[in-house]
Amino acid sequence: MNHLDVVRLLGLDAPKRPEDDAYGRVVPEDFELLVQAVPAGVFAGSVLLERPGSLPVRSLEEFTRPTSLRIGDMELSLRSREQRLWLPLHPEPGGMVPWGRTATDGVLLWDATAADTADWTTVVTDDDFQLWLDLPFSASEFIARALLGRAEGMPAFETIEEYEAGSFWSVADDMPATATVLSNPDVGAVEELVTRIRNIGVPGIRQYARELVDRAVERARESTLVFPEDYLTVMREFPGGVIAGMRVLPVARAGWLTEDTVFLQWGELDGRAFGWLALTGDPQEWRVGYVEPGGTSLTHLHDQTFSSFLRRRLRGDNSLF
């Protein structure tokens, strides 16, 4: 998908392609053409684009200046939890570049590790980098999927004024319900994780995540792979990325660490491989373990499931025991 798909979904006329060959040199050309083609506003009640002062973008420093203070505060909040970003931020070489935001104060960034801006993909975060979703989409494909996945009755596009008078209130109404779930002392680990992921609030992500799980489960039927149910429930909302500083692999990359079907890896942290020790035939009884770099030793967290371990980290406990 590209910017023309978004234009068609919005029922707009595609503008003529600019002659300037500087498009795409600093940020992806597709993003620049999208900004040129659509007015300022909110897509699917959930996504807003950064609006460059001029096109084509000539400087990343100028492009990122409006968001630099907020992104810096988010990174400081992350470090105060003794966690770190898995990718650097601009202005570090290849650092992530913010290109938009969500209606729930999340941030949309490019994974800018590729040399060609056309190959930059999207990272979606919540408002303090505790949830980080890796998506293999350009900005235009991300927005097109949000438009296609929006709830019935949700406008495809609103000006800021229309949004503040309309869809904003739907977003605001969801916040007390989310807060109620998260404040319940008896909330289950799976429900808490799912609620926090859904709170990012961008349509299309869940559908993509479920497609990944469905394909992985189908492949697993032809192999020795099986997965605990709490893992599958969370991964139907989460397509892979980072949760509370922990890299959680896309479900398609979860697999046996060695040829021996004993340790099934689902994530990594500081060079350690995290997964389950498959000590019984019932995956619902598996508990989290981790292997030190180089396979030097293995630690079994007998009381921690996938979801309870990640919830503990989201609540600020970074200990591994």
Side-chain angles (χ1 to χ4, degrees):
M1 295 183 185
N2 57 37
H3 73 287
L4 294 176
D5 294 295
V6 176
V7 168
R8 283 191 287 268
L9 286 169
L10 296 178
L12 301 175
D13 294 326
K16 184 179 178 181
R17 173 70 170 79
E19 297 294 335
D20 194 326
D21 62 1
Y23 279 75
R25 290 186 181 178
V26 177
V27 301
E29 176 187 83
D30 188 62
F31 170 82
E32 295 177 299
L33 297 178
L34 179 65
V35 169
Q36 183 188 61
V38 299
V42 183
F43 299 89
S46 61
V47 178
L48 299 88
L49 302 179
E50 294 299 326
R51 309 294 298 194
S54 61
L55 292 171
V57 174
R58 305 284 181 177
S59 160
L60 275 182
E61 286 68 28
E62 181 180 342
F63 181 72
T64 58
R65 188 173 296 122
T67 57
S68 60
L69 287 177
R70 181 172 178 233
I71 297 295
D73 287 344
M74 289 170 62
E75 186 177 17
L76 286 174
S77 174
L78 185 75
R79 295 189 184 282
S80 73
R81 295 170 175 255
E82 299 181 346
Q83 297 170 4
R84 65 177 179 84
L85 287 170
W86 277 80
L87 289 174
L89 288 165
H90 176 79
E92 292 187 45
M96 294 186 294
V97 176
W99 61 262
R101 59 188 175 92
T102 73
T104 55
D105 290 331
V107 180
L108 306 169
L109 306 106
W110 283 300
D111 177 340
T113 52
D116 189 340
T117 62
D119 296 326
W120 290 5
T121 55
T122 293
V123 172
V124 186
T125 79
D126 62 0
D127 60 3
D128 62 357
F129 283 132
Q130 287 298 285
L131 294 174
W132 163 336
L133 285 62
D134 287 327
L135 298 166
F137 307 143
S138 67
S140 289
E141 181 168 357
F142 179 82
I143 291 172
R145 284 176 173 264
L147 294 174
L148 293 170
R150 71 188 190 278
E152 184 177 354
M154 175 64 68
F157 180 84
E158 300 164 284
T159 65
I160 299 297
E161 293 76 14
E162 290 169 338
Y163 171 73
E164 291 176 344
S167 299
F168 167 82
W169 297 103
S170 298
V171 175
D173 288 344
D174 288 340
M175 292 182 181
T178 298
T180 298
V181 171
L182 297 179
S183 65
N184 179 0
D186 299 319
V187 65
V190 173
E191 185 179 6
E192 184 171 335
L193 284 171
V194 166
T195 299
R196 292 192 63 154
I197 295 167
R198 288 182 180 175
N199 191 52
I200 292 173
V202 178
I205 291 177
R206 182 190 302 176
Q207 180 181 352
Y208 173 67
R210 290 187 174 188
E211 290 170 0
L212 296 181
V213 170
D214 290 345
R215 289 200 294 268
V217 169
E218 187 62 33
R219 286 195 299 271
R221 294 192 180 114
E222 302 173 1
S223 70
T224 58
L225 283 176
V226 287
F227 302 108
E229 193 55 43
D230 71 324
Y231 170 77
L232 293 177
T233 300
V234 172
M235 298 305 285
R236 287 189 177 96
E237 309 284 338
F238 185 79
V242 177
I243 298 179
M246 168 77 64
R247 168 67 71 181
V248 179
L249 303 174
V251 65
R253 289 180 54 197
W256 300 111
L257 189 61
T258 67
E259 292 182 359
D260 298 325
T261 55
V262 175
F263 188 89
L264 183 57
Q265 183 180 5
W266 54 257
E268 57 189 26
L269 176 68
D270 295 333
R272 301 179 179 95
F274 277 77
W276 301 278
L277 275 178
L279 299 180
T280 73
D282 183 0
Q284 312 317 319
E285 297 179 1
W286 295 352
R287 296 297 180 262
V288 169
Y290 62 88
V291 178
E292 294 290 345
T296 52
S297 66
L298 183 150
T299 301
H300 190 195
L301 308 180
H302 298 272
D303 62 339
Q304 296 296 321
T305 64
F306 170 82
S307 55
S308 68
F309 178 74
L310 290 176
R311 175 174 69 170
R312 188 177 71 170
R313 289 186 62 86
L314 280 169
R315 291 182 172 185
D317 185 349
N318 293 325
S319 66
L320 300 181
F321 298 95

